[in-house]
Amino acid sequence: MRLGRSIAVAAVLTMVAAGAADAQRRKTPYYASIAAGEARMRSGPGKNYPTQWVYRRADMPIKVLDIYQDWRRVEDPDGTRGWLQVGLLSDRRTGFVGREVIELRASPQAGAAVVWRAAPGVVGRLSRCNGAWCFFDVKGRGGYVEQSRLWGVDPGETM
């Protein structure tokens, strides 16, 4: 009986590992976010490369441009490029407000009531993107924003 249970556990672990490996083979480019409270961007794919930048902002959206083993070549909203370890990243989708204040609306329509405003530099979580609008949540205060006003989601993208 124990042998059968051990085989079943091994099979489940193998499927989980295969799923994690598949997640590491995503087609680039794609958006992700910084998961850690502190993340070092390096000039190359390894800890022996110098640190170019230190991010101290979890949920900052980044665009993954290339993959090399456990490293991801990324671009941030300012266009800075470098390498981050995959363990510092999350699949959580977030957006970044660019140079202008944006209005968060009650529904995904240009004439809908404005429920909040977000200043340049604000980061929020994205959901319910229909190709033109996304629901943008900033620490529990959310509303719909035109996708073209955010960095971290492509125009026309749905999710």
Side-chain angles (χ1 to χ4, degrees):
M1 195 65 149
R2 285 194 146 201
L3 179 60
R5 186 176 289 169
S6 296
I7 291 171
V9 169
V12 169
L13 290 176
T14 301
M15 289 189 306
V16 169
D22 288 344
Q24 300 303 322
R25 291 193 277 269
R26 290 179 68 180
K27 184 180 175 195
T28 57
Y30 64 89
Y31 289 100
S33 59
I34 296 176
E38 182 174 294
R40 294 179 182 275
M41 178 186 276
R42 297 189 180 270
S43 62
K47 288 186 177 183
N48 56 325
Y49 287 92
T51 299
Q52 291 180 290
W53 195 257
V54 179
Y55 294 94
R56 291 190 169 97
R57 192 167 188 189
D59 281 348
M60 174 69 81
I62 51 96
K63 186 178 225 178
V64 176
L65 305 172
D66 198 8
I67 297 171
Y68 178 76
Q69 296 177 358
D70 288 340
W71 292 85
R72 302 297 179 263
R73 184 165 183 261
V74 301
E75 179 178 37
D76 71 14
D78 291 330
T80 302
R81 293 183 177 189
W83 293 85
L84 290 172
Q85 280 187 304
V86 71
L88 299 172
L89 302 178
S90 169
D91 287 337
R92 178 179 294 127
R93 294 295 299 273
T94 61
F96 178 85
V97 178
R99 299 192 191 313
E100 299 174 2
V101 172
I102 62 170
E103 296 175 335
L104 285 71
R105 299 189 176 274
S107 63
Q109 302 168 4
V114 174
V115 292
W116 305 102
R117 287 184 174 80
V122 167
V123 171
R125 294 184 180 182
L126 297 174
S127 63
R128 301 190 303 258
C129 296
N130 66 11
W133 295 81
C134 284
F135 189 81
F136 187 62
D137 183 292
V138 181
K139 298 182 180 180
R141 294 181 176 175
Y144 289 91
V145 176
E146 292 178 87
Q147 285 180 220
S148 61
R149 308 285 310 271
L150 295 168
W151 193 93
V153 62
D154 289 325
E157 182 180 358
T158 60
M159 58 177 184

